[in-house]
């Protein structure tokens, strides 16, 4: 996998870095999308609607794969070892050169936690003894994508 894009919720990648994903895919790069949650707390739509929209968006962007880790919406936690292990397993399975993660400079708590989870996972996935599925692997590059705001509320 050339690039793996992470979003806290289905539609986050599309809103923050979908253009980059589409550009990479259009130029022959293997692109994957990972939604950490199913977006079950969303005001609009339900899990089924969001899953269908996510699948359609993945096709439109040219993504080779889209997975959903099923972590709890409004419950992402950078200190939860099971959540960290799930992100590490995705990294080890897809072995991307580039990872695009949510920026921690955002007002949404799930985006902040997702940023920390993915950042930690990128490092810990490279430790041979870290107890997570897959063979050790560390991405070469990590970029952060901004969402609505550039600042966390004070």
């Amino acid at each position: 996998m050339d690039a793996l894009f992470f979003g806290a919720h289905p539609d986050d990648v599309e809103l923050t870095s979908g253009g980059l994903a589409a550009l990479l895919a259009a130029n022959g790069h293997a692109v994957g999308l990972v939604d950490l949650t199913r977006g079950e707390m969303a005001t609009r739509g339900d899990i089924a609607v969001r899953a269908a929209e996510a699948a359609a968006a993945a096709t439109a962007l040219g993504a080779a794969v889209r997975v959903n880790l099923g972590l709890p919406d409004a419950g992402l936690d950078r200190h939860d070892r099971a959540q960290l292990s799930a992100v590490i397993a995705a990294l080890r399975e897809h072995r991307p050169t580039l990872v695009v993660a949510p920026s921690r400079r955002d007002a949404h708590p799930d985006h902040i936690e997702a940023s920390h989870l993915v950042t930690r996972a990128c490092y810990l996935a490279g430790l041979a003894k870290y107890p997570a599925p897959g063979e050790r692997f560390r991405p070469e590059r990590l970029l952060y994508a901004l969402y609505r705001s550039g600042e966390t509320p004070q």
Side-chain angles (χ1 to χ4, degrees), residues 2-146:
D2 295 313
L4 196 58
F5 291 74
F6 285 84
H9 313 98
D11 79 5
D12 284 353
V13 170
E14 292 88 326
L15 294 169
T16 62
S17 50
L20 177 59
L23 181 65
L24 289 172
N27 284 286
H29 296 280
V31 171
L33 311 175
V34 179
D35 303 315
L36 299 181
T37 75
R38 295 173 296 152
E40 60 268 25
M41 295 295 195
T43 302
R44 294 177 197 77
D46 58 22
I47 293 172
V49 168
R50 296 200 66 165
E53 290 173 346
T59 299
L61 294 175
V65 65
R66 184 168 204 152
V67 297
N68 191 300
L69 300 185
L71 303 179
D73 193 4
L76 292 179
D77 181 356
R78 72 186 91 169
H79 303 293
D80 185 308
R81 286 192 174 264
Q83 291 183 25
L84 187 58
S85 180
V87 176
I88 291 171
L91 290 167
R92 288 178 173 178
E93 177 182 353
H94 298 289
R95 308 181 80 72
T97 302
L98 168 68
V99 168
V100 179
S103 172
R104 66 188 64 174
R105 296 173 55 97
D106 193 278
H108 195 304
D110 275 349
H111 298 173
I112 296 166
E113 291 301 311
S115 181
H116 286 283
L117 272 168
V118 175
T119 300
R120 287 188 71 207
C122 283
Y123 180 81
L124 295 174
L127 300 178
K129 294 181 180 178
Y130 193 86
E135 185 178 324
R136 76 184 230 176
F137 168 79
R138 188 170 292 142
E140 291 178 24
R141 301 272 186 262
L142 173 60
L143 297 177
Y144 296 97
L146 292 174

